[in-house]
Structures are given as C-alpha cells and as structure tokens.
Amino acid sequence: MSKRKMKDAHLPVGECITQVQEILRERLCHQQLPDRPEGVEAQHKHLLELLKRTAVHGESNSVLIVGPRGAGKTMLLKCVLRDLLEEKEVQKNLLQVHLNGLLQTDDRIALKEITRQLHLENVVGDKVFGSFAENMAFLLEALKKGDRSSSSPVLFVLDEFDLFAHHKNQTLLYNLFDVSQSAQAPIAVVGLTCRLDVLELLEKRVKSRFSHRQIHLLSSLTFPQYLERVRIQLSLLHNFPDDSFAQDWNTSVKTLVKDKSVEDVLQRHFNSSKDFRSMHMLLMLCLCRVSVSKPAIKPADLLEASRLCFADTKANMLHGLSILELCLVIAMKHLNDVYEGEPFNLQMVHNEFKKFLQRKSNSMYNFDPPVIMKAFEHLQQLELIRPVDGPSAKTQREYQLMRLMLDHSQIMEALQKYPQCPTDIKQWAMSAFS
C-alpha cells in the first residue's frame, strides 16, 4: 500500500489511541535532544570549542557548568557531545568517562568505575599501587597509542560535581585537575553542579589547579513559551498513519492549551518549577487517562494530574495510620500549640493522650504502655517525628526529645479525609486546648 493510501486510511480508534500513547510516551520519557538548543547558543559554542580543542588538538581543559535543576545542563552537554562526535576523527579517538557524585561516593569506587569505563580491568589486574595518583597515572599511561608518542584524549564528566568535593582530601578532583594542568595526557574535565558556591568547597591545592572556567545556565523561559512547549509535546506529527485522527487530536490539544482552567494549572506548575521533567510527568499522567471512550485529553484530566503532582505525601501517609497512632499525632499537635514548637518526649505525649481519655472515659482507646511505645516508634520509622539529637545510651526511650515533622494544616487536612474517623477524635483535634 502506498504512503498516500496509508495516510488516507482510517484506523480503528483503539489502534490510534495505542499508537498515540506509544509515540507520546517515547517523547516524554526519553526526552529527545533538540536539533539546536534554544537560548543557550553562546554556551553551546563555548563548550563545543573547548572540547574540540581536547579531542582534536590534545589540549587539556577543565570547566564547570553551573545552573539550577532543570536549566538544561545535561541537555547542553549531550548536544555538544552529539555535535562533537559527528566528526570521524573525534569519534575514533575520544574516550568518555561519566561519573556521578550520587553513585561514586568515594574515590576508591570512582577509580574502579574509571577503570571499568576505560576497559582497563585486564591491564590493571592485581597490581598494587602506592597512591591514588600512581593508579591514575598508570591508567592514563595505558591509554597511550602503540608508538608511545601520544595518548587518546579522555573526557571526564562529573555529574553532581559538588558531592565529589566532600570526598576525603578531594583526591580524585586534585589528580584530575593536576593532570589537566600539567599536560601529562590530553584530558577534559567537565563538572555539572547546581551550587553557585561550588568553588568555595574546593581545597586551596585543588582550586589552584582548576582553570576557573564556568558556564552559567539560567532559565529564561517565559510562560507563553512554556504553554507552546506543552502544545508541541502533545501534538502529533504529519507522519501519523491516520491523518484525520491526527488533525482531530491536534485541534483538541490547541483547545486544551487555550482553556482558562488549564492555563491556571500550568501557571502554577510554571511558578513552582520551570523544569521540563516535571512538566513531562504532568503530561504523562494526563496521557494515562486517554482511552477509546475518551480519545482526547480534557481539562479535568489535567486538573486531576496536577492534584496528584502536588499531593502532600506526608498528609497522605496519615491516612494509613492506626487510630492509636493518629491519637498520638494529635497529642503532639496540642503539645506543639501549648509549648510553641518546643521538643517533646513520649512521656509528655502519653500524658496528653491520657487527659483526652479521662475526659471521654472511653475504654475503646485504652492501650497498654508497650503498645503505645510501639506506635510511637512506628511514627519515627515513617519519619513523621524525628529525634532532636542522635540516639543516646544514657537517655531512656520515653524521655528522648522529638520534633513533629507535620504542621497544623497537614494534620487537619488528613483528618478530614481519614476513612471513618471517630467524631470525638476529630473534635479533640479541633479543640484549642486539650
């Protein structure tokens, strides 16, 4: 069948919905790189030239990409690497090592990962090195070409760069910057971080070996651009098999974006985070509600998805507590009100709970002290309360000072939604004095 006939063909609605969900999930989850990064052209050019000098001319460099989460640091680096690797010479020679401060939590783990990514496990074998610097020098020496005259250029990407500054003596950073400065081997060190004060974290000897190049990214996105991005992300391209369905879908997306209630929801998301990943999560939740009976995204879907995104997880956790645990939380709330947020202990909470029992004279809420202790410990495990200091052997558990990690509004909101909450407990929570 010709392409023209395929486009003119009308597929069953169920099949169209399946294809829409496949296409949009691929787009929203994989976050495809743009052909040209918008708004960061100067930064793109600067970083590309810097890495090209390492990859082609063997010049060592170091640079930090600094910006808030969602500003496009990783996207910028990926776009630069994609453009850089289009050159055949670079594609053959450039080696890449990607480290993350959340994963490589100390220098030993980082060195092991560097060895693995450079495929030098067999070369290192069971060799014993006197220091980290010796091990690093051996790895870079092993990368030299057969004529021993030149090394392959290596790009080190350090994501969550500020976390590497917390490693003991900053040995990894010192050695990487030292190699890049002393021209022992052609390497480029690119750090990605959210912290503007990252240089203050570096030791003097590390700082002196860093080039002090920084590329700053700040989101200049406006709300109309954000709305347009939502429309583009949800729209189908012209190559969709059923042309008629694609036109109807795209028309419904345009109508959706112009809806006042939808604009208000998106404005709230835009104000809280300009990160495209959070927007993609919102749109993914909307997409899950599309079905054969409802083959388009409606404003109500976006409102529900927004409610889920902004759901208060701690308030939701209260819905799963037992009546006893809920009573202890209310007792803590009253203690917070009376003592203006000062820490409390289990004994104080128990006394507050007993006052409530004496007023109600209700045997239904009588619990043995060990049961109350267990409920109190469960609240600590859920991180609804936390100790003021670390656990001390000298302090009995009943007298260890705690703080409540919930505020008044979260507790009251959870009580309204708590399934079949007894009336007297609700009244106790709402009373000004216990």
Side-chain angles (χ1 to χ4, degrees), residues 288-350:
C288 293
R289 297 171 70 85
V290 175
S291 62
V292 176
S293 58
K294 192 165 65 63
I297 297 173
K298 302 292 182 190
D301 298 330
L302 206 75
L303 291 168
E304 178 61 21
S306 177
R307 191 186 64 76
L308 290 171
C309 285
F310 282 110
D312 188 333
T313 51
K314 281 200 170 169
N316 286 344
M317 283 169 75
L318 292 177
H319 302 159
L321 297 183
S322 67
I323 289 292
L324 170 59
E325 288 164 348
L326 194 63
C327 286
L328 294 182
V329 168
I330 294 168
M332 293 170 201
K333 179 188 92 69
H334 284 307
L335 287 170
N336 264 2
D337 293 343
V338 173
Y339 296 109
E340 298 179 343
E342 287 296 308
F344 52 82
N345 58 38
L346 174 58
Q347 195 60 50
M348 293 165 70
V349 174
H350 195 181

Coordinates of all heavy atoms in Angstrom, one line a residue, residues 288-350:
C288 N -2.2 9.0 30.5 CA -2.7 7.7 31.0 C -4.2 7.6 31.1 O -4.8 6.5 31.2 CB -2.1 7.4 32.4 SG -0.3 7.2 32.4
R289 N -4.9 8.8 31.1 CA -6.4 8.8 31.2 C -7.1 8.8 29.9 O -8.3 8.8 29.8 CB -6.8 10.1 32.0 CG -6.2 10.1 33.4 CD -6.5 11.4 34.1 NE -7.9 11.7 34.4 CZ -8.5 11.2 35.5 NH1 -7.8 10.5 36.4 NH2 -9.8 11.5 35.7
V290 N -6.3 8.8 28.8 CA -6.9 8.7 27.4 C -7.3 7.3 27.2 O -6.6 6.3 27.4 CB -5.9 9.2 26.4 CG1 -6.5 9.0 25.0 CG2 -5.6 10.7 26.6
S291 N -8.5 7.1 26.6 CA -9.0 5.7 26.3 C -9.9 5.8 25.1 O -10.1 6.9 24.5 CB -9.8 5.2 27.5 OG -10.9 6.0 27.7
V292 N -10.4 4.7 24.6 CA -11.3 4.6 23.5 C -12.5 5.4 23.7 O -13.0 6.1 22.8 CB -11.6 3.1 23.1 CG1 -12.6 3.1 22.0 CG2 -10.4 2.3 22.8
S293 N -13.1 5.3 24.9 CA -14.3 6.1 25.2 C -14.0 7.6 25.4 O -14.9 8.4 25.3 CB -14.9 5.5 26.5 OG -14.0 5.6 27.6
K294 N -12.8 7.9 25.6 CA -12.4 9.3 25.8 C -11.1 9.6 25.0 O -10.0 9.7 25.6 CB -12.3 9.7 27.3 CG -12.2 11.1 27.6 CD -12.4 11.4 29.1 CE -11.3 10.8 30.0 NZ -10.0 11.4 29.7
P295 N -11.2 9.7 23.7 CA -10.0 9.7 22.9 C -9.3 11.1 22.8 O -8.8 11.5 21.7 CB -10.5 9.3 21.5 CG -11.9 9.7 21.5 CD -12.4 9.7 22.9
A296 N -9.3 11.9 23.9 CA -8.6 13.2 23.9 C -8.4 13.6 25.3 O -9.1 13.1 26.2 CB -9.5 14.2 23.2
I297 N -7.4 14.4 25.6 CA -7.1 14.9 26.9 C -8.0 16.1 27.2 O -8.1 17.0 26.5 CB -5.6 15.4 27.0 CG1 -4.7 14.2 26.8 CG2 -5.4 16.0 28.4 CD1 -3.2 14.5 26.7
K298 N -8.8 16.0 28.3 CA -9.7 17.0 28.7 C -9.1 17.9 29.9 O -8.2 17.4 30.6 CB -11.0 16.4 29.2 CG -11.7 15.5 28.2 CD -12.2 16.3 27.0 CE -12.9 15.4 26.0 NZ -13.2 16.2 24.8
P299 N -9.6 19.1 30.1 CA -9.2 19.9 31.2 C -9.3 19.2 32.6 O -8.4 19.4 33.4 CB -10.1 21.1 31.2 CG -10.5 21.3 29.7 CD -10.6 19.8 29.2
A300 N -10.3 18.4 32.8 CA -10.5 17.6 34.0 C -9.3 16.7 34.3 O -8.9 16.5 35.4 CB -11.8 16.9 34.0
D301 N -8.7 16.1 33.2 CA -7.6 15.2 33.3 C -6.4 15.9 33.8 O -5.6 15.4 34.6 CB -7.3 14.6 31.9 CG -8.4 13.7 31.4 OD1 -9.2 13.2 32.2 OD2 -8.6 13.6 30.1
L302 N -6.2 17.2 33.3 CA -5.0 18.0 33.7 C -5.2 18.4 35.2 O -4.2 18.4 35.9 CB -4.9 19.2 32.8 CG -3.5 19.8 32.7 CD1 -2.6 18.9 31.8 CD2 -3.5 21.1 32.1
L303 N -6.4 18.7 35.6 CA -6.6 19.1 37.0 C -6.4 18.0 37.9 O -5.7 18.2 39.0 CB -8.1 19.6 37.1 CG -8.5 20.9 36.4 CD1 -10.0 21.1 36.4 CD2 -7.8 22.1 37.1
E304 N -6.8 16.8 37.5 CA -6.6 15.6 38.4 C -5.1 15.3 38.4 O -4.5 14.9 39.5 CB -7.4 14.4 37.8 CG -7.2 13.1 38.5 CD -7.6 13.1 40.0 OE1 -8.4 14.0 40.4 OE2 -7.1 12.3 40.8
A305 N -4.4 15.4 37.3 CA -3.0 15.1 37.2 C -2.2 16.1 38.1 O -1.2 15.7 38.8 CB -2.5 15.1 35.8
S306 N -2.6 17.3 38.0 CA -2.0 18.4 38.8 C -2.2 18.1 40.3 O -1.3 18.3 41.1 CB -2.5 19.7 38.5 OG -2.0 20.7 39.3
R307 N -3.4 17.6 40.7 CA -3.7 17.3 42.1 C -2.7 16.2 42.6 O -2.2 16.2 43.7 CB -5.1 16.9 42.2 CG -5.6 16.8 43.7 CD -7.0 16.2 43.8 NE -7.1 14.8 43.3 CZ -6.6 13.8 43.9 NH1 -6.1 13.9 45.1 NH2 -6.7 12.6 43.4
L308 N -2.5 15.2 41.7 CA -1.6 14.1 42.1 C -0.1 14.6 42.2 O 0.6 14.2 43.1 CB -1.6 13.0 41.0 CG -2.9 12.2 41.0 CD1 -2.9 11.3 39.7 CD2 -3.1 11.4 42.2
C309 N 0.3 15.5 41.3 CA 1.7 16.0 41.3 C 1.9 16.8 42.6 O 3.0 16.8 43.2 CB 1.9 16.9 40.1 SG 2.2 15.9 38.6
F310 N 0.9 17.6 43.0 CA 1.1 18.5 44.2 C 0.6 17.8 45.5 O 0.5 18.5 46.5 CB 0.3 19.8 44.0 CG 1.1 20.7 43.1 CD1 0.6 21.0 41.8 CD2 2.3 21.3 43.5 CE1 1.3 21.9 41.0 CE2 2.9 22.2 42.7 CZ 2.5 22.5 41.4
A311 N 0.3 16.5 45.4 CA -0.2 15.8 46.6 C 0.8 15.9 47.7 O 2.0 15.7 47.5 CB -0.5 14.4 46.3
D312 N 0.3 16.1 48.9 CA 1.2 16.2 50.1 C 1.4 14.7 50.6 O 0.5 14.1 51.2 CB 0.5 17.0 51.2 CG 1.4 17.3 52.4 OD1 2.3 16.5 52.6 OD2 1.2 18.3 53.0
T313 N 2.6 14.2 50.4 CA 2.8 12.8 50.7 C 2.8 12.5 52.2 O 2.3 11.5 52.6 CB 4.2 12.4 50.2 OG1 5.2 13.4 50.6 CG2 4.3 12.4 48.7
K314 N 3.2 13.5 53.0 CA 3.2 13.3 54.5 C 1.7 13.2 54.9 O 1.4 12.4 55.8 CB 4.0 14.3 55.2 CG 5.5 14.0 55.1 CD 6.2 14.8 56.2 CE 7.7 14.2 56.2 NZ 8.5 15.1 57.0
A315 N 0.9 14.1 54.4 CA -0.5 14.1 54.8 C -1.2 12.9 54.3 O -2.0 12.3 55.1 CB -1.2 15.4 54.2
N316 N -0.8 12.3 53.2 CA -1.4 11.1 52.7 C -1.0 9.9 53.6 O -1.7 8.9 53.7 CB -0.9 10.8 51.2 CG -1.6 11.7 50.2 OD1 -2.6 12.3 50.6 ND2 -1.1 11.8 49.0
M317 N 0.3 10.0 54.1 CA 0.7 8.9 55.0 C -0.2 8.8 56.2 O -0.3 7.7 56.8 CB 2.2 9.1 55.4 CG 3.2 8.8 54.3 SD 4.8 9.4 54.7 CE 5.3 8.2 55.9
L318 N -0.7 9.9 56.7 CA -1.6 9.9 57.9 C -2.8 9.0 57.7 O -3.4 8.5 58.6 CB -2.0 11.3 58.3 CG -0.8 12.2 58.8 CD1 -1.4 13.6 59.1 CD2 -0.2 11.6 60.1
H319 N -3.3 8.9 56.4 CA -4.5 8.1 56.1 C -4.3 6.6 56.4 O -5.3 5.9 56.6 CB -4.9 8.3 54.6 CG -5.1 9.7 54.2 ND1 -5.1 10.1 52.9 CD2 -5.4 10.8 55.0 CE1 -5.3 11.4 52.9 NE2 -5.5 11.9 54.1
G320 N -3.0 6.2 56.4 CA -2.8 4.8 56.7 C -2.4 4.5 58.1 O -2.1 3.3 58.5
L321 N -2.5 5.5 59.0 CA -2.1 5.2 60.4 C -3.3 4.6 61.2 O -4.5 4.7 60.8 CB -1.8 6.6 61.1 CG -0.6 7.3 60.6 CD1 -0.4 8.6 61.5 CD2 0.7 6.5 60.6
S322 N -2.9 3.9 62.2 CA -4.0 3.3 63.1 C -4.6 4.4 63.9 O -4.0 5.5 64.0 CB -3.4 2.2 64.0 OG -2.5 2.9 64.9
I323 N -5.7 4.1 64.6 CA -6.4 5.1 65.4 C -5.4 5.6 66.6 O -5.3 6.8 66.9 CB -7.7 4.6 66.0 CG1 -8.8 4.4 64.9 CG2 -8.2 5.5 67.1 CD1 -9.3 5.7 64.4
L324 N -4.7 4.6 67.2 CA -3.8 5.0 68.2 C -2.7 5.9 67.7 O -2.4 6.9 68.4 CB -3.2 3.7 68.8 CG -2.0 3.9 69.8 CD1 -2.4 4.7 71.0 CD2 -1.4 2.6 70.3
E325 N -2.1 5.6 66.6 CA -1.0 6.4 66.0 C -1.6 7.8 65.7 O -0.9 8.8 65.9 CB -0.5 5.8 64.8 CG 0.4 4.6 65.1 CD 0.7 3.7 63.9 OE1 0.0 3.9 62.8 OE2 1.5 2.8 64.0
L326 N -2.8 7.9 65.2 CA -3.4 9.2 64.9 C -3.6 10.0 66.2 O -3.4 11.2 66.2 CB -4.8 9.0 64.2 CG -5.4 10.2 63.5 CD1 -4.5 10.7 62.4 CD2 -6.8 9.8 62.9
C327 N -4.1 9.3 67.2 CA -4.3 10.0 68.5 C -2.9 10.6 69.0 O -2.9 11.7 69.6 CB -4.8 9.0 69.6 SG -6.6 8.6 69.3
L328 N -1.8 9.8 68.9 CA -0.5 10.3 69.3 C -0.1 11.5 68.5 O 0.4 12.5 69.1 CB 0.5 9.2 69.2 CG 0.4 7.9 70.1 CD1 1.5 7.0 69.8 CD2 0.3 8.3 71.5
V329 N -0.4 11.5 67.2 CA -0.1 12.7 66.4 C -0.9 13.9 66.8 O -0.3 15.0 66.9 CB -0.3 12.4 64.9 CG1 -0.3 13.7 64.0 CG2 0.7 11.4 64.3
I330 N -2.2 13.7 67.2 CA -3.0 14.8 67.6 C -2.5 15.4 69.0 O -2.4 16.6 69.2 CB -4.5 14.4 67.8 CG1 -5.0 14.1 66.4 CG2 -5.3 15.5 68.4 CD1 -6.4 13.4 66.3
A331 N -2.0 14.4 69.9 CA -1.5 14.8 71.2 C -0.2 15.7 70.9 O 0.0 16.7 71.6 CB -1.1 13.6 72.0
M332 N 0.6 15.3 70.0 CA 1.8 16.0 69.6 C 1.5 17.4 69.1 O 2.1 18.4 69.4 CB 2.6 15.3 68.6 CG 3.2 14.0 69.1 SD 3.9 13.1 67.7 CE 4.0 11.4 68.3
K333 N 0.4 17.5 68.3 CA -0.1 18.8 67.8 C -0.4 19.7 68.9 O -0.1 20.9 68.9 CB -1.3 18.5 66.8 CG -1.8 19.8 66.2 CD -3.1 19.6 65.5 CE -4.3 19.8 66.4 NZ -4.6 21.2 66.8
H334 N -1.2 19.2 69.9 CA -1.6 20.0 71.0 C -0.3 20.5 71.8 O -0.3 21.6 72.3 CB -2.5 19.2 72.0 CG -3.9 19.2 71.4 ND1 -4.6 20.3 71.0 CD2 -4.8 18.1 71.2 CE1 -5.8 19.9 70.6 NE2 -5.9 18.6 70.6
L335 N 0.7 19.6 72.0 CA 1.9 19.9 72.7 C 2.6 21.0 72.0 O 3.2 22.0 72.6 CB 2.8 18.7 72.9 CG 2.4 17.7 73.9 CD1 3.2 16.4 73.8 CD2 2.5 18.2 75.3
N336 N 2.6 20.9 70.6 CA 3.3 22.0 69.8 C 2.6 23.3 70.0 O 3.2 24.4 70.0 CB 3.2 21.6 68.3 CG 4.5 20.9 67.8 OD1 5.4 20.7 68.6 ND2 4.5 20.6 66.6
D337 N 1.2 23.3 70.0 CA 0.5 24.5 70.2 C 0.7 25.2 71.6 O 0.9 26.4 71.7 CB -1.0 24.3 70.1 CG -1.4 23.9 68.7 OD1 -0.6 24.1 67.7 OD2 -2.5 23.3 68.5
V338 N 0.8 24.3 72.6 CA 0.9 24.8 74.0 C 2.3 25.3 74.2 O 2.6 26.4 74.8 CB 0.6 23.7 75.0 CG1 0.9 24.1 76.5 CG2 -0.9 23.3 74.9
Y339 N 3.3 24.5 73.8 CA 4.7 24.9 74.1 C 5.4 25.6 72.9 O 6.7 25.7 72.8 CB 5.5 23.6 74.5 CG 5.0 23.0 75.7 CD1 4.3 21.8 75.7 CD2 5.2 23.7 77.0 CE1 3.8 21.3 76.9 CE2 4.7 23.1 78.2 CZ 4.0 21.9 78.1 OH 3.5 21.4 79.3
E340 N 4.6 26.0 71.9 CA 5.1 26.8 70.8 C 6.3 26.1 70.0 O 7.3 26.7 69.8 CB 5.5 28.2 71.2 CG 4.4 29.0 71.8 CD 4.8 30.4 72.3 OE1 6.0 30.6 72.5 OE2 3.9 31.2 72.5
G341 N 6.1 24.9 69.7 CA 7.0 24.1 68.8 C 8.2 23.6 69.6 O 9.2 23.1 68.9
E342 N 8.3 23.6 70.9 CA 9.4 23.1 71.6 C 9.4 21.5 71.5 O 8.3 20.9 71.4 CB 9.3 23.5 73.1 CG 9.7 24.9 73.4 CD 11.1 25.3 73.0 OE1 12.0 24.5 73.5 OE2 11.3 26.2 72.2
P343 N 10.5 20.9 71.6 CA 10.6 19.4 71.5 C 9.7 18.7 72.6 O 9.5 19.3 73.7 CB 12.0 19.1 71.7 CG 12.8 20.3 71.4 CD 11.9 21.4 71.8
F344 N 9.3 17.5 72.4 CA 8.5 16.7 73.4 C 9.1 15.3 73.5 O 10.0 15.0 72.6 CB 7.1 16.7 72.9 CG 6.9 16.2 71.5 CD1 6.9 14.8 71.2 CD2 6.8 17.1 70.5 CE1 6.8 14.4 69.9 CE2 6.6 16.6 69.1 CZ 6.6 15.3 68.9
N345 N 8.7 14.6 74.4 CA 9.1 13.2 74.5 C 7.8 12.3 74.6 O 6.7 12.8 74.8 CB 10.0 12.9 75.7 CG 9.5 13.3 77.0 OD1 8.3 13.1 77.3 ND2 10.3 13.9 77.9
L346 N 8.0 11.0 74.6 CA 6.9 10.0 74.6 C 6.1 10.2 75.9 O 4.8 10.1 75.9 CB 7.4 8.6 74.5 CG 6.4 7.5 74.7 CD1 5.2 7.6 73.7 CD2 7.0 6.1 74.5
Q347 N 6.7 10.5 77.0 CA 6.0 10.6 78.3 C 5.0 11.8 78.3 O 3.9 11.6 78.7 CB 7.0 10.8 79.4 CG 6.4 10.6 80.8 CD 5.9 9.2 81.0 OE1 6.5 8.2 80.7 NE2 4.6 9.1 81.5
M348 N 5.5 12.9 77.7 CA 4.6 14.0 77.5 C 3.4 13.7 76.6 O 2.3 14.1 76.9 CB 5.4 15.2 77.0 CG 6.5 15.8 77.9 SD 7.7 16.8 77.1 CE 6.6 18.3 76.7
V349 N 3.7 13.0 75.5 CA 2.6 12.7 74.6 C 1.6 11.7 75.3 O 0.4 11.9 75.1 CB 3.2 12.0 73.3 CG1 2.1 11.5 72.4 CG2 4.1 13.0 72.6
H350 N 2.1 10.8 76.0 CA 1.3 9.8 76.7 C 0.4 10.5 77.7 O -0.8 10.3 77.9 CB 2.1 8.8 77.4 CG 1.4 7.6 77.9 ND1 1.9 6.5 78.5 CD2 0.0 7.2 77.8 CE1 1.0 5.6 78.8 NE2 -0.2 6.0 78.3

